[in-house]
Amino acid sequence: MRIADAVIKVLENHNVKHVFGIPASTFGGILDALNDSQIEYIITKNEAGATYSASKYADMSNKLGVCMLAGGVGVNNAINGMADAQRNKVPMLVINGDVRLSYMGKGALQEFNNAKVVESFAKYSVNVEREEDVIPELQKAIKIALTPPCGVTLVSIPYDIQMPEFKGELECDNTIEKPVNDNKALEFAVEEIEKAKKGLIFIGRGTRGLSKEIKELSEKLGWGIISTPNAKGIVNSDFPYYIGNYGFCSSDGAIEYVENEDLDCILILGTSLGQSATRDYNDVLVRGRKVIRIDWDTKEFNRVFKEDVSVCYDLREAVKILNKEVSKKNNSFLKPEMNKPYVKNHTGISLRRLYEMLPDIFPKDTCVIVDVGDFFNYIFKYMPIREDMDFQGSVNYACMGAGVAGALGSYLADKRRPYAVFVGDGGFYMNGMDILTAKEYNMPIMYFVINNSMFGLVKNGMKAIFGREFDAKVQFDKISIASIAEAMGIEAVQITDLSQVENLEGLMKDRTSPLLVEIVTDGTEIFIDTDRLKKVK
């Protein structure tokens, strides 16, 4: 067995089913070893697409996402997807091929110090230089990626040490050390919750998979729930205690409740409290309130706001204990109106009205995946999420194109769900070619491309801050994106009026191939999140 074969065996021992990337000669030995494996190599159109896919796969499955890429240009192309995964704390392993050891330092083709490039943000990265270190370093990188808080690791393997005979032992250690649960701190949190008269639960993406338990806790306490943008959909929009998205593109009701309600306690679960979760680090969220925070990443504690009780605990276990230990409170709760009524002050299709309509016709269990652009302001604020639906966004690092390719990984993690991806025309032009990958691998993903022929965040944001638009070509020529999709052999329709939306219901059912829906609007409906875009004085 060659070292390259041993690499694949290690992945198989960790139950890896899919690997994402673009083939290259620098890891030719590992590619050859894949021929003898059941692991499927998903070839994307760009290395960034591979890392976006692996990131969303890991997020949806809670398993390791794996990429195989060329060193140098391949790793550099993939940086954004790696950084996105690290910000979202999902486990990702990148294996890259490197030039021969004897060529290093001589300016070889695509030579680059790959581990050095990513060490500023990755949990672990290493350039392997000895045959005997390949498998130990690979196993170490996998363990580090999967150890909470999870993250990205990279192992760079020169071509010539992939080929020799493997002489070591393939011992598979799948045990992962979790942070030690702080029982004393959790007991204190329970005591403080018991003392509180009226509180609020604030959930982040770390609570994925805990919808039922969080709703149970909310009902028991009589406390409302707000969610970060990345946690949208964890609690369904019509749940009686759910007030809405808070932070970036907050619902009107969430802002009013946080700012005006007489609350003495806020329970924060599974959020890093970043800029997008706190309305630009606005302390109105915690001011004058007892702050209880539960997370398993101790580095996050007291980083943004001062906390009264910081609890390092596995969230699934912690919420279960809270539900058991806290007393039922007789608090009255009146759910505020989530958003103010729609007022037409524009021409063209209203994205707000579009997003309010679509969940009524989405197939059961649809997962909405949101890319980055002007269009997503309206999704975070206005789109209702049904109880059977799921939602994936990535606001913190905010890569344009992450949703287009990321949906490939989401689909492979759970093929039972329909997937609806929303991307702007700017994001489509930048990273949209992985729609072709969905076609080539028969993935029935629905892509909604919002075509307003502009970089709306730039055009409208600059005007909101400085009173004038940026004097450059941020508006595009109007091009039919549906026609581009049809030229690729992908079924496509174009929507120019909201009356056509109901016709989509039949097209979305029981799909076996991708569908592209182009939404043509003129960009005159303007909603800018002004918390994030305050003018610096």
Side-chain angles (χ1 to χ4, degrees), residues 9-16 64 142 146 172-174:
K9 290 294 183 185
V10 170
L11 297 181
E12 290 175 339
N13 288 342
H14 283 273
N15 299 311
V16 173
L64 184 70
I142 291 172
L146 289 167
C172 183
D173 179 10
N174 286 341

Side-chain angles (χ1 to χ4, degrees), residues 10 14 64 92-93 123-126 128 133-147 151-155 171 173 175-176:
V10 170
H14 283 273
L64 184 70
M92 180 193 291
L93 168 70
K123 282 191 75 178
Y124 182 71
S125 62
V126 60
V128 182
D133 292 337
V134 173
I135 298 306
E137 286 289 359
L138 183 64
Q139 291 173 325
K140 179 180 179 180
I142 291 172
K143 184 176 283 288
I144 290 172
L146 289 167
T147 299
V152 174
T153 60
L154 176 140
V155 180
E171 297 179 0
D173 179 10
T175 60
I176 300 298

Side-chain angles (χ1 to χ4, degrees), residues 136 211 246 248 259 271 327 335 347 416 497 523:
S211 173
Y246 185 82
F248 183 69
E259 291 186 350
T271 168
S327 304
K335 180 173 179 173
T347 57
R416 298 169 300 173
D497 189 275

Side-chain angles (χ1 to χ4, degrees), residues 287-537:
R287 195 185 307 145
R289 294 160 182 166
K290 185 78 69 174
V291 178
I292 301 171
R293 187 173 182 186
I294 306 177
D295 206 314
W296 61 8
D297 188 353
T298 57
K299 295 191 301 295
E300 299 288 0
F301 291 148
N302 293 293
R303 190 163 69 112
V304 177
F305 303 127
K306 184 182 182 302
E307 299 151 23
D308 297 284
V309 186
S310 303
V311 185
C312 180
Y313 223 96
D314 179 278
L315 270 173
R316 183 171 294 279
E317 296 175 28
V319 175
K320 182 179 179 181
I321 291 170
L322 290 180
N323 274 318
K324 180 181 178 182
E325 297 296 329
V326 300
S327 304
K328 183 174 178 60
K329 295 179 182 288
N330 294 318
N331 290 326
S332 60
F333 177 82
L334 180 63
K335 180 173 179 173
E337 191 70 28
M338 200 169 290
N339 286 301
K340 297 171 184 174
Y342 166 72
V343 175
K344 184 170 183 178
N345 57 1
H346 60 92
T347 57
I349 284 180
S350 165
L351 295 184
R352 172 179 175 171
R353 295 293 299 121
L354 172 73
Y355 299 145
E356 289 173 340
M357 294 168 65
L358 283 172
D360 290 335
I361 61 172
F362 277 149
K364 189 177 185 300
D365 297 324
T366 294
C367 177
V368 172
I369 299 175
V370 180
D371 208 284
V372 174
D374 170 66
F375 69 93
F376 77 170
N377 291 330
Y378 306 86
I379 290 182
F380 285 117
K381 188 176 179 75
Y382 296 116
M383 181 180 277
I385 304 295
R386 300 190 313 248
E387 188 170 12
D388 63 294
M389 291 171 62
D390 200 355
F391 185 90
Q392 276 190 309
S394 188
V395 179
N396 290 331
Y397 190 64
C399 314
M400 292 179 71
V404 178
L408 310 176
S410 299
Y411 170 77
L412 291 171
D414 186 356
K415 295 183 180 181
R416 298 169 300 173
R417 283 187 174 276
Y419 292 87
V421 179
F422 288 84
V423 61
D425 49 345
F428 174 81
Y429 294 140
M430 196 177 294
N431 282 302
M433 289 303 101
D434 274 306
I435 289 177
L436 263 178
T437 310
K439 176 199 170 191
E440 291 162 355
Y441 287 89
N442 300 310
M443 299 182 186
I445 299 168
M446 301 173 289
Y447 292 94
F448 291 80
V449 183
I450 312 303
N451 188 355
N452 61 7
S453 301
M454 68 177 71
F455 286 132
L457 281 178
V458 176
K459 180 179 183 292
N460 299 323
M462 292 291 285
K463 189 170 183 178
I465 301 170
F466 300 105
R468 60 177 179 174
E469 296 175 7
F470 179 48
D471 188 18
K473 195 170 177 56
V474 295
Q475 292 186 260
F476 318 139
D477 294 335
K478 183 71 75 173
I479 295 173
S480 171
I481 294 174
S483 296
I484 295 174
E486 288 170 346
M488 298 178 185
I490 295 170
E491 184 177 5
V493 294
Q494 189 180 78
I495 301 294
T496 57
D497 189 275
L498 288 178
S499 64
Q500 299 170 287
V501 171
E502 62 183 25
N503 299 331
L504 297 174
E505 187 170 8
L507 288 174
M508 292 191 289
K509 288 182 179 178
D510 303 319
R511 294 205 60 80
T512 57
S513 60
L515 170 70
L516 185 140
V517 180
E518 179 187 11
I519 309 295
V520 180
T521 188
D522 60 9
T524 58
E525 182 186 34
I526 298 174
F527 165 52
I528 294 293
D529 184 79
T530 52
D531 286 323
R532 188 175 64 95
L533 297 175
K534 293 171 183 172
K535 186 174 180 180
V536 179
K537 296 182 180 179

